[in-house]
Amino acid sequence: MNEKTVIVAGASGLVGKEVVKQLIADQCCKEIILLVRNKLEIKHPKIKEILFDFTKSEYEIENVEADNMIICIGTTMKKVQTKERFKEVDLNIPVKLARLAIKLNVQNVAIISAMGANSKSSFFYNRVKGEMETQLISLNINNHTIIRPSLLIGDRNEFRFGERLAEKVYSIIPYIFPKKYRPIDASNVARALIKASFAPSDKQVNIIENSDIHELSLNS
């Protein structure tokens, strides 16, 4: 068995927590390197935490070897308040992490984007996600997976009224959501990220849309 060392950025978030949980249980993963602003203190022999300054203009890590990187970085306008700060978190940080992956000779990078990501979109959120995708693709990473989920369902650390309402509606009458827009559990997104990382596509860039995430989770 070719066991993997995986770098995870964004381990404290909704999907990131699920990624770590599933990697711990995955026999194909031998080590999980968490890039964290503050100690998470997740106790497991597989886990190594590295205190990481995400505000730097470029990223460097010494004495780290890894096969995969999974990027689960993201925020909301409500939390950061300004468009500039939102772009820093959802565009600049992921791109700098991808450049770090290249420096470390990481072969497979998987990242969460968003359904509707488009650099030419009239919607700021979708446009930023699209710009992030465009910049990452231009880096020519050996194998690069972009996951585009719809509304994420799961146990968040913060209350979001719109998402909680949609989650409640979906649990009662799921058929009102077309398959393309169906809300998706964070655990399924995490599973798709890991599966795409450990069994990469033949394509250099593999974009997985929301409906395909559901299919991947069913086939895992």
Side-chain angles (χ1 to χ4, degrees), residues 11 24 38 53 113 116 136 138 162 165 168 171-172 181 191 216:
I24 287 173
N38 303 293
D53 185 357
S113 181
L136 261 65
S138 71
L165 176 62
K168 188 70 173 177
S171 68
I172 299 170
Y181 302 103
R191 192 172 296 112
L216 270 177

Side-chain angles (χ1 to χ4, degrees), residues 190-206:
R191 192 172 296 112
L193 284 163
I194 294 168
K195 185 172 182 179
S197 296
F198 287 2
S201 165
D202 292 335
K203 298 179 291 185
Q204 185 178 16
V205 179
N206 181 30

Side-chain angles (χ1 to χ4, degrees), residues 107-146:
Q107 295 299 300
N108 301 295
V109 175
I111 187 167
I112 301 175
S113 181
M115 187 176 69
N118 186 330
S119 61
K120 300 186 184 304
S121 175
S122 58
F123 296 100
F124 175 72
Y125 179 85
N126 290 353
R127 187 166 66 251
V128 171
K129 291 295 187 180
E131 290 173 2
M132 181 268 291
E133 289 186 8
T134 299
Q135 290 194 34
L136 261 65
I137 290 169
S138 71
L139 295 176
N140 290 317
I141 298 166
N142 185 60
N143 190 275
H144 179 200
T145 297
I146 296 169

